[in-house]
C-alpha cells in the first residue's frame, strides 16, 4: 500500500477495520457455515471473492475501495477455515478427522513451500538472464 502513496495511518486504519470486521463476524459466519448444506459452493465463492477483491484492489488502489477489498478478503478468510473443517468432517467422519486435518495441513504447508521455491527460482533465473 506504500507503493500507492497510502500514509501509515491509512494502512493501520484499513488493517484495524478489516481485522475487527473478521473478529466480529467469525462466530456468526461459523454458525452459518455449520447450518448451510452448500459448503463447497461457499468455499468456491470465498476463493473467487478473494481473487477478485485482490485484483480489483490492485487496479483501483483508492482508500475506500482498498478498505472494502480488505474487509471482503478478511471475511472470506474467516469463512474458509470452518468450511474446510466442516467439509473434512463430513467426508472422513469423526474417527479419522484428526489424521485428515494433519494431512491437509501438511499438504498446505508443502504447497506454500513449493510456491516459495518457485518464486525464488524465478527470481534467480531472471537475475541470471539479466546478468548475461
Amino acid at each position: 500500500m506504500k507503493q500507492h502513496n497510502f500514509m501509515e495511518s491509512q494502512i493501520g486504519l484499513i488493517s484495524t477495520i478489516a481485522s475487527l470486521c473478521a473478529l466480529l463476524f467469525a462466530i456468526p459466519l461459523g454458525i452459518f457455515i455449520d447450518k448451510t448444506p452448500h459448503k463447497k459452493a461457499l468455499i468456491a465463492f470465498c476463493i473467487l471473492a478473494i481473487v477478485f477483491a485482490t485484483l480489483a484492489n490492485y487496479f483501483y488502489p483508492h482508500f475506500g475501495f482498498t478498505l472494502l477489498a480488505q474487509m471482503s478478503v478478511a471475511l472470506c478468510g474467516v469463512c474458509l477455515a470452518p468450511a474446510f473443517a466442516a467439509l473434512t468432517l463430513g467426508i472422513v467422519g469423526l474417527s479419522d478427522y484428526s489424521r485428515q486435518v494433519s494431512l491437509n495441513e501438511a499438504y498446505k504447508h508443502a504447497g506454500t513451500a513449493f510456491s516459495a521455491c518457485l518464486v525464488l527460482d524465478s527470481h534467480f533465473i531472471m537475475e541470471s538472464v539479466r546478468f548475461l
Side-chain angles (χ1 to χ4, degrees):
M1 286 192 248
K2 289 289 278 182
Q3 297 169 345
H4 298 291
N5 298 324
F6 281 100
M7 297 184 318
E8 288 85 5
S9 61
Q10 290 174 319
I11 296 170
L13 184 62
I14 289 170
S15 297
T16 301
I17 291 174
S19 298
L20 287 175
C21 187
L23 183 67
L24 288 174
F25 287 102
I27 292 174
L29 287 173
I31 293 169
F32 170 72
I33 290 165
D34 282 342
K35 300 283 185 195
T36 185
H38 308 289
K39 290 172 182 52
K40 291 179 188 176
L42 185 66
I43 289 171
F45 173 77
C46 286
I47 291 171
L48 288 175
I50 289 171
V51 169
F52 287 132
T54 304
L55 285 174
N57 191 26
Y58 178 76
F59 291 112
Y60 302 106
H62 305 292
F63 178 77
F65 200 81
T66 300
L67 178 63
L68 289 175
Q70 292 298 317
M71 286 172 54
S72 65
V73 167
L75 289 175
C76 288
V78 164
C79 287
L80 286 176
F84 280 124
L87 193 63
T88 302
L89 182 61
I91 292 172
V92 299
L94 191 56
S95 61
D96 290 333
Y97 178 73
S98 61
R99 185 185 67 78
Q100 187 62 47
V101 168
S102 299
L103 285 172
N104 291 352
E105 288 295 318
Y107 289 135
K108 182 176 82 171
H109 291 303
T112 302
F114 180 72
S115 63
C117 289
L118 285 178
V119 168
L120 286 174
D121 189 40
S122 66
H123 173 72
F124 289 124
I125 289 172
M126 296 307 270
E127 288 296 318
S128 62
V129 168
R130 191 170 71 178
F131 181 71
L132 293 175

